[in-house]
Every structure is written in structure tokens, then in C-alpha cells.
Amino acid sequence: MADLAKLVDELSSLTVLEAADLAKMLEEKWGVSAAAAVAVAAGPAAGGAAAAAAEEQTEFTVVLASAGDKKIEVIKEVRAITGLGLKEAKDLVEGAPKPLKEGVAKDEAEKLKKQLEAVGAKVELK
């Protein structure tokens, strides 16, 4: 059971893009589709998120609303924050609005927002 707890901790630390890549890899490896599992998992999570919002929000999602005028600088910051490769970071920035990090503490979310806004990006915290 200790190994399962460790696995849960590791999976919880994945970014959205890393989780999507993991899902694709598992679908290819096992020859299945995770679409049904994601829909089932998203249902209870949405209800839980609404209940949590009624209280005080402790976890935030940092969303890149737009890159602004200095797209190259924003791509560099996104790479530093997420650990993504150049192509993935560029795709994320060009596809804005996109979530960068989910489930982060308020202090970290504010810090990331300031970093990105310093290079000209528009950021929202949800």
C-alpha cells in the first residue's frame, strides 16, 4: 500500500499537459480509451469544487489568458514554470487561454501571476 500512496503523490504533482501525455501513453499501451473514465472522474470533482468554493478557496488554477506583446519572453517563463519543452510551451502560449498549473496554493499562484505579468502576459487565477 505504501507504493500506491507514493504513486498517488507522484501523479498529483503532474501538470495538466503531463497528465494528458500520460493518458495518451496509457491508451496506446493498453489499447483503451480514457474518455469514459475522465467523464466519470470529472462529474464528482465538479460538485466538490463548487462546495469548496462556497468555503474559502485554498487551491487555485493559474490560467494564461494571453501572451501579450512579448510572446518569446512569456514562452521562456512558461518553460521555467512548467518544465515543458520549447515546442510544448510555445503551443501552450499560442493556444491561450490555457491553464498552466492547477491545484496550487494562493501564495504560489500569486507569485506565478506576478512572474508572467512582469513579461507582459495576462493571467487569471481561478
Side-chain angles (χ1 to χ4, degrees):
M1 285 298 165
D3 291 334
L4 292 177
K6 181 179 175 186
L7 182 61
V8 168
D9 289 338
E10 289 178 20
L11 290 174
S12 297
S13 68
L14 292 178
T15 65
V16 173
L17 292 174
E18 291 170 335
D21 288 342
L22 175 63
K24 288 178 190 174
M25 292 169 65
L26 291 175
E27 286 175 355
E28 291 173 9
K29 174 93 175 165
W30 295 336
V32 297
S33 175
V38 171
V40 170
E55 297 173 9
E56 184 176 344
Q57 187 173 352
T58 58
E59 292 186 346
F60 293 84
T61 299
V62 180
V63 178
L64 178 67
S66 71
D69 295 334
K70 300 178 185 176
K71 188 163 66 169
I72 293 172
E73 296 298 319
V74 174
I75 292 171
K76 288 179 183 178
E77 281 299 319
V78 167
R79 286 188 69 201
I81 291 168
T82 62
L84 294 173
L86 180 60
K87 182 182 181 328
E88 292 84 5
K90 180 179 181 272
D91 291 344
L92 192 146
V93 169
E94 289 177 346
K98 294 268 184 163
L100 288 180
K101 284 208 165 196
E102 294 182 337
V104 296
K106 185 175 183 176
D107 293 339
E108 183 181 354
E110 291 290 338
K111 177 182 156 200
L112 296 175
K113 181 178 179 181
K114 285 180 185 176
Q115 275 182 281
L116 289 162
E117 287 178 343
V119 293
K122 292 184 178 139
V123 181
E124 298 174 0
L125 299 180
K126 295 186 178 183

